[in-house]
Amino acid sequence: MSFMTVPTWNQYHQRILNAHEVPPRSQQTDLYPYVPVRARIVWEQDGVERIETTAYAYSGRLILVYTHDRRNHGTGVWLSVEDAPKLGPES
Protein backbone atom coordinates (compact mmCIF):
# COMPACT_ATOMS: atom_id res chain seq x y z
CA MET A 1 0.00 0.00 0.00
CA SER A 2 1.42 3.40 -0.93
CA PHE A 3 0.53 6.70 0.65
CA MET A 4 0.47 10.03 -1.07
CA THR A 5 2.71 12.60 0.56
CA VAL A 6 0.67 15.62 1.53
CA PRO A 7 2.59 18.84 2.05
CA THR A 8 2.11 20.57 5.37
CA TRP A 9 0.21 23.86 5.36
CA ASN A 10 3.39 25.79 6.13
CA GLN A 11 6.07 23.90 4.24
CA TYR A 12 6.93 26.94 2.09
CA HIS A 13 6.67 29.57 4.84
CA GLN A 14 9.67 31.81 5.47
CA ARG A 15 10.01 34.76 7.79
CA ILE A 16 10.56 38.13 6.16
CA LEU A 17 13.60 39.47 7.96
CA ASN A 18 13.03 43.15 7.14
CA ALA A 19 9.35 43.08 8.16
CA HIS A 20 8.16 45.41 10.92
CA GLU A 21 5.51 44.87 13.56
CA VAL A 22 2.01 45.90 12.56
CA PRO A 23 1.41 49.44 13.86
CA PRO A 24 -1.77 50.14 15.82
CA ARG A 25 -4.74 50.55 13.50
CA SER A 26 -5.32 54.07 14.84
CA GLN A 27 -1.90 55.04 13.42
CA GLN A 28 -2.47 53.54 9.95
CA THR A 29 -3.70 55.44 6.91
CA ASP A 30 -5.14 53.57 3.94
CA LEU A 31 -3.86 54.49 0.49
CA TYR A 32 -6.34 54.78 -2.32
CA PRO A 33 -5.56 54.56 -5.08
CA TYR A 34 -2.81 52.08 -4.26
CA VAL A 35 0.74 53.23 -4.96
CA PRO A 36 3.06 51.18 -7.20
CA VAL A 37 6.36 50.36 -5.46
CA ARG A 38 9.43 48.18 -5.89
CA ALA A 39 9.67 46.30 -2.61
CA ARG A 40 12.87 44.83 -1.23
CA ILE A 41 11.96 41.62 0.63
CA VAL A 42 14.59 39.75 2.67
CA TRP A 43 13.48 36.14 2.99
CA GLU A 44 14.76 33.98 5.83
CA GLN A 45 16.13 31.30 3.48
CA ASP A 46 15.99 32.73 -0.04
CA GLY A 47 17.65 36.07 0.68
CA VAL A 48 16.93 39.41 -1.01
CA GLU A 49 14.24 39.69 -3.64
CA ARG A 50 12.86 42.82 -5.32
CA ILE A 51 9.26 42.74 -6.49
CA GLU A 52 7.05 45.27 -8.20
CA THR A 53 3.85 45.48 -6.18
CA THR A 54 1.53 48.01 -4.59
CA ALA A 55 1.44 49.79 -1.26
CA TYR A 56 -1.97 50.08 0.31
CA ALA A 57 -1.38 51.71 3.70
CA TYR A 58 1.24 53.64 5.62
CA SER A 59 2.07 54.59 9.18
CA GLY A 60 4.83 57.12 9.73
CA ARG A 61 7.96 55.70 8.08
CA LEU A 62 6.36 52.28 7.45
CA ILE A 63 4.44 51.17 4.39
CA LEU A 64 2.21 48.12 3.90
CA VAL A 65 2.93 46.35 0.62
CA TYR A 66 0.92 43.59 -1.03
CA THR A 67 2.63 40.21 -1.23
CA HIS A 68 1.15 37.36 -3.17
CA ASP A 69 3.66 34.67 -2.29
CA ARG A 70 3.17 31.30 -0.65
CA ARG A 71 6.24 31.96 1.52
CA ASN A 72 4.28 34.66 3.37
CA HIS A 73 1.14 33.57 5.21
CA GLY A 74 -0.41 37.01 5.00
CA THR A 75 -1.25 39.13 2.00
CA GLY A 76 1.02 41.98 2.97
CA VAL A 77 4.06 43.03 4.95
CA TRP A 78 5.01 46.25 6.73
CA LEU A 79 8.34 47.56 5.44
CA SER A 80 10.30 50.75 5.99
CA VAL A 81 9.69 53.30 3.24
CA GLU A 82 13.35 52.87 2.22
CA ASP A 83 12.59 49.22 1.37
CA ALA A 84 9.65 50.11 -0.89
CA PRO A 85 10.36 53.17 -3.05
CA LYS A 86 7.58 54.47 -5.24
CA LEU A 87 7.77 53.52 -8.91
CA GLY A 88 7.85 56.43 -11.26
CA PRO A 89 8.03 56.97 -15.02
CA GLU A 90 11.82 56.53 -14.99
CA SER A 91 11.73 53.22 -13.05
Side-chain angles (χ1 to χ4, degrees):
M1 177 186 242
S2 68
F3 290 95
M4 184 174 87
T5 302
V6 177
T8 61
W9 68 275
N10 67 343
Q11 93 175 41
Y12 300 107
H13 181 257
Q14 294 182 43
R15 287 185 318 125
I16 298 175
L17 301 180
N18 61 330
H20 289 264
E21 292 291 321
V22 177
R25 182 65 183 128
S26 63
Q27 296 175 12
Q28 299 176 25
T29 301
D30 294 336
L31 289 169
Y32 191 80
Y34 298 160
V35 176
V37 296
R38 180 171 290 119
R40 178 180 165 272
I41 308 287
V42 183
W43 296 102
E44 179 178 29
Q45 297 168 8
D46 296 338
V48 176
E49 179 179 10
R50 287 180 172 74
I51 60 169
E52 290 189 8
T53 186
T54 55
Y56 57 100
Y58 70 92
S59 177
R61 302 284 304 156
L62 298 178
I63 193 158
L64 179 59
V65 301
Y66 177 71
T67 58
H68 181 71
D69 193 299
R70 65 184 175 183
R71 294 172 289 182
N72 183 27
H73 285 169
T75 58
V77 62
W78 286 93
L79 300 173
S80 71
V81 293
E82 292 81 16
D83 281 334
K86 185 177 177 180
L87 287 174
E90 66 281 344
S91 296

